Amino acid sequence: MQTAAIVTRSLTKSYGELTALDSFDLEVEQGSIFGLLGPNGAGKTTLIRILTTLMRPSSGDAFIEGLDSRSKGRDIRSMIGVVSQENSLDRYLTARENLELHARLHGMEKRLYKHRIDDLLELMGLAGRQKDFPDTFSGGMQRRLVIARALVHQPQVLFLDEPTTGLDPQSRRAVWEYVRSLAGSMTILLTTHYLEEAEQLCDRIAIMDHGRLIAIGSTQELKDRLSGATVYEVEFAGQGADHYAALLGSMPCVIDIKQVENKIAITLECWECLSEIVTALNGAPVRRISLQERTLEDVFISLTGQKVRE
Amino acid sequence: MLRGSLAIWQRDMLILRRSIISELVAVVAYPLTIYLAFGIGMQSYIGLVDGAPYSMFIAPGLITMTAVSAAYNESVWSLWFHRRVQFTIESYRVTPISVSEIVIAKIFTGFTHGIIKGCAVGLVIYAITPFRFPLEHLLQYLLFLIPGSALFSCAGIISGTVMDKPETIGKVEAVLVMPLIFMSGLFFPLSSYPPSVVSWVRALPTTALFEGARRALVAGEMLPLAALQVALSSMVAFVAAVYIFRYKMSE
Ligand SMILES: Nc1ncnc2c1ncn2[C@@H]1O[C@H](COP(=O)(O)OP(=O)(O)O)[C@@H](O)[C@H]1O
Ligand SMILES: [Mg+2]
């Protein structure tokens, strides 16, 4: 069997009284983009810091490409790229020098890293600004530079801790584009508290809160985990909504019904009762029937009982 | 093993090269002001100290003071800045170099700042004052200046590692570092101390440093015990700095 890129077993980290990471078990397949979704304080950064050997766990184990994080720190660090939550660029070095220093710390030779850095600056859209200092860059450009820095030595596993937090929507999309362009060439673990980001980028998602893993799966699998209830929206042409809302509301398979002007939202026990509804609506001036797509937000609320804290 | 140290030290030297003029102007201004105020302004009131004009008495101490305080300042602020403000230390720590390599690089950077700035002040004092010494004394003087700068660089690294707030760093400098420098025979001979205090003062490595350095530069005398004391202190400080930094990084 192929080794997983990242494995954690009962990983636990306490800061004094507080358990920031609680018996965390995770397995991330090689080559996938894995999302770790959770509100602020969920323990995402703590997990990343342990996986990137910046911090030791209180108990439990973590393996990167089969290497034990406790004893093989240096080997692990030579094959991972890290984009930390805080921007850790050196503001006294130009964009290019930031990448060069990083390449040298990875023991790369100049003739090797020169071209690599040219390519990366091009890829991240920073080639024209390579001689400038990072504090003259926009937030999105700085973030891209940090990502470029994490890629200089061609890592096998890339960690991105909240790569788009604090960016405007346009810069966020640009970062997504770059992350997507890396898909398949390496394993990517990213943390986020934006549901949309996890949904857009990740093959698999783990939802966590208070240091615990709450659910894990693909976006679709997580959505399927919602209770069987499905919501349909029926839009009427002209009058009739009031009458049919009352009629449908009295049917046994309808759990809930809400009316807004000429639209009614019907919550069904299961999708199988849809045919009864359609029969009941026979001859009604229906303009449109649509299934309401559930989002990760719904999943998060149904699993944790609360909205994602921003 | 020290590949990482070299890369980080070279980064620091690049930054120093870029700002060398303003750094040197700033670093020369202070000792030169003291020299003019005390060495020239007060000279006729003070007369001879230990058989030498006062300006001659304080000149070597001013060079030593510049070197060691530059080493200390560079180390303490740089470590604090890269650790707490810019998080660059963390970006170094996710590469395949060891924590020791990082701290050794930073110690060398502080040391280099000390030597370069000490030399700059020495040259300026040489150029604009009548202070002269036989060139062969320089070698003996370096036997103090080099371990002395290393000692203060390590002390700076330790302070910058354990202190998280800039105001604490400022207080420690005012309460500990500056008094240590000023009380160690830089501005007055140790014989001015009451006899009960002088043996305490002599036990300080800073006293061995300033006293030994001046005797070496002015008289060509060699105080082997003092030299040994400075050298040993700097080695102990080096080990302590590496150890404390590693401890802090392991959280
Ligand atoms: N160095 C630390 N000392 C004490 N508590 C910490 C430390 N770092 C994080 N925490 C706490 O641990 C919990 C998880 O934090 P973190 O891993 O940063 O969460 P996230 O990245 O998901 O926002 C939070 O309650 C936070 O306050
Ligand atoms: Mg975080």
Side-chain angles (χ1 to χ4, degrees):
Chain A
M1 205 192 83
Q2 201 185 21
T3 32
I6 301 167
V7 176
T8 70
R9 291 209 197 102
S10 308
L11 202 61
T12 301
K13 176 73 188 181
S14 311
Y15 301 110
E17 291 281 280
L18 179 92
T19 307
L21 205 59
D22 197 353
S23 300
F24 207 85
D25 290 309
L26 189 71
E27 216 173 297
V28 176
E29 215 179 286
Q30 281 181 346
S32 62
I33 303 187
F34 191 95
L36 205 57
L37 178 65
N40 279 331
K44 304 180 298 293
T45 299
T46 302
L47 177 61
I48 295 242
R49 289 179 69 85
I50 293 173
L51 294 175
T52 56
T53 78
L54 284 171
M55 192 189 260
R56 282 173 178 272
S58 308
S59 65
D61 299 299
F63 301 89
I64 308 293
E65 300 284 348
L67 298 172
D68 190 333
S69 68
R70 284 174 198 270
S71 54
K72 293 274 185 254
R74 193 186 278 250
D75 297 333
I76 289 175
R77 291 196 298 274
S78 67
M79 60 178 174
I80 61 173
V82 183
V83 174
S84 61
Q85 189 170 352
E86 311 89 16
N87 160 6
S88 60
L89 290 168
D90 193 332
R91 67 191 74 161
Y92 290 95
L93 294 179
T94 64
R96 189 181 186 90
E97 288 162 352
N98 264 284
L99 304 189
E100 285 173 349
L101 173 58
H102 191 81
R104 295 194 59 202
L105 292 174
H106 271 276
M108 293 172 76
E109 284 178 37
K110 187 166 189 162
R111 64 186 166 78
L112 274 179
Y113 67 65
K114 198 176 164 298
H115 296 292
R116 176 75 184 148
I117 289 173
D118 288 338
D119 293 347
L120 278 171
L121 287 167
E122 200 63 49
L123 173 76
M124 294 290 161
L126 294 168
R129 301 289 305 271
Q130 58 177 297
K131 293 210 172 92
D132 294 337
F133 291 90
D135 48 8
T136 65
F137 287 9
S138 70
M141 289 166 76
Q142 294 192 8
R143 217 63 192 142
R144 267 143 50 201
L145 182 59
V146 183
I147 296 176
R149 185 178 69 180
L151 294 172
V152 169
H153 56 291
Q154 301 190 293
Q156 281 165 259
V157 185
L158 179 65
F159 294 91
L160 301 161
D161 197 357
E162 306 211 4
T164 67
T165 299
L167 297 187
D168 58 273
Q170 200 184 342
S171 309
R172 172 171 304 160
R173 294 236 142 62
V175 170
W176 288 355
E177 281 307 308
Y178 293 113
V179 172
R180 246 189 235 115
S181 70
L182 301 170
S185 59
M186 64 189 77
T187 311
I188 300 176
L189 177 75
L190 73 86
T191 77
T192 180
H193 60 237
Y194 300 115
L195 295 153
E196 193 193 353
E197 183 160 295
E199 206 167 358
Q200 291 274 331
L201 286 179
C202 302
D203 306 317
R204 277 169 76 74
I205 296 165
I207 298 182
M208 70 183 293
D209 200 7
H210 302 297
R212 286 173 183 277
L213 184 68
I214 296 173
I216 191 165
S218 65
T219 314
Q220 198 51 50
E221 282 165 1
L222 290 175
K223 283 183 188 169
D224 291 345
R225 282 235 204 137
L226 282 170
S227 57
T230 47
V231 180
Y232 290 90
E233 196 178 74
V234 181
E235 188 182 331
F236 293 89
Q239 303 302 307
D242 297 336
H243 167 69
Y244 282 99
L247 175 71
L248 297 174
S250 66
M251 291 171 64
C253 65
V254 174
I255 301 173
D256 188 34
I257 198 148
K258 282 198 192 81
Q259 184 189 349
V260 181
E261 290 170 17
N262 62 340
K263 285 184 199 156
I264 53 179
I266 313 163
T267 309
L268 299 181
E269 229 165 37
C270 53
W271 61 266
E272 284 91 344
C273 13
L274 183 60
S275 60
E276 288 179 46
I277 303 293
V278 173
T279 313
L281 286 173
N282 196 6
V286 173
R287 180 184 282 167
R288 177 163 53 206
I289 300 184
S290 54
L291 171 66
Q292 269 188 6
E293 277 286 347
R294 264 87 54 88
T295 61
L296 264 175
E297 177 96 45
D298 300 322
V299 180
F300 196 88
I301 292 169
S302 86
L303 289 171
T304 66
Q306 55 189 334
K307 285 186 154 240
V308 175
R309 290 171 259 140
E310 283 280 329
Chain B
M1 145 76 195
L2 290 180
R3 182 195 76 218
S5 300
L6 184 66
I8 297 171
W9 180 77
Q10 284 177 335
R11 175 260 171 222
D12 291 342
M13 291 305 108
L14 173 67
I15 307 307
L16 176 60
R17 273 209 302 283
R18 283 200 180 132
S19 57
I20 188 76
I21 300 297
S22 64
E23 289 259 352
L24 287 185
V25 168
V27 87
V28 165
Y30 181 58
L32 212 60
T33 311
I34 296 186
Y35 182 86
L36 296 175
F38 291 91
I40 310 292
M42 302 282 288
Q43 186 165 21
S44 55
Y45 298 93
I46 298 172
L48 297 184
V49 178
D50 271 3
Y54 191 55
S55 58
M56 297 296 137
F57 180 84
I58 60 171
L62 288 177
I63 301 172
T64 315
M65 177 189 79
T66 307
V68 300
S69 47
Y72 179 85
N73 276 316
E74 168 62 23
S75 286
V76 69
W77 289 112
S78 159
L79 207 71
W80 176 77
F81 180 77
H82 286 275
R83 200 168 58 80
R84 300 286 303 174
V85 182
Q86 201 168 251
F87 302 107
T88 354
I89 299 274
E90 200 166 294
S91 75
Y92 301 158
R93 282 183 62 206
V94 293
T95 67
I97 67 169
S98 67
V99 169
S100 305
E101 284 174 84
I102 300 172
V103 65
I104 289 171
K106 288 297 176 190
I107 291 172
F108 268 88
T109 297
F111 170 77
T112 318
H113 272 251
I115 297 295
I116 289 176
K117 290 171 183 174
C119 290
V121 169
L123 285 174
V124 170
I125 287 184
Y126 193 91
I128 67 174
T129 75
F131 177 70
R132 290 293 176 271
F133 55 85
L135 265 181
E136 61 266 26
H137 294 176
L138 199 59
L139 217 60
Q140 290 156 32
Y141 176 68
L142 286 178
L143 283 180
F144 287 92
L145 192 71
I146 288 173
S149 299
L151 171 66
F152 273 77
S153 176
C154 293
I157 294 291
I158 294 171
S159 308
T161 302
V162 298
M163 292 185 244
D164 288 342
K165 292 193 187 134
E167 56 270 29
T168 324
I169 294 177
K171 282 172 195 157
V172 166
E173 183 165 7
V175 174
L176 209 65
V177 181
M178 285 321 275
L180 265 180
I181 293 177
F182 271 61
M183 306 317 263
S184 50
L186 166 58
F187 291 109
F188 49 85
L190 295 178
S191 52
S192 310
Y193 279 110
S196 53
V197 182
V198 82
S199 54
W200 290 104
V201 177
R202 279 199 185 281
L204 295 170
T206 42
T207 310
L209 169 63
F210 280 92
E211 194 59 14
R214 178 175 58 238
R215 298 276 199 88
L217 196 61
V218 176
E221 274 178 77
M222 189 62 206
L223 306 178
L225 271 183
L228 198 66
Q229 193 185 351
V230 180
L232 281 178
S233 308
S234 68
M235 280 177 222
V236 170
F238 179 82
V239 173
V242 172
Y243 181 83
I244 290 170
F245 184 77
R246 285 177 50 163
Y247 179 80
K248 178 84 172 190
M249 289 300 117
S250 70
E251 290 168 327

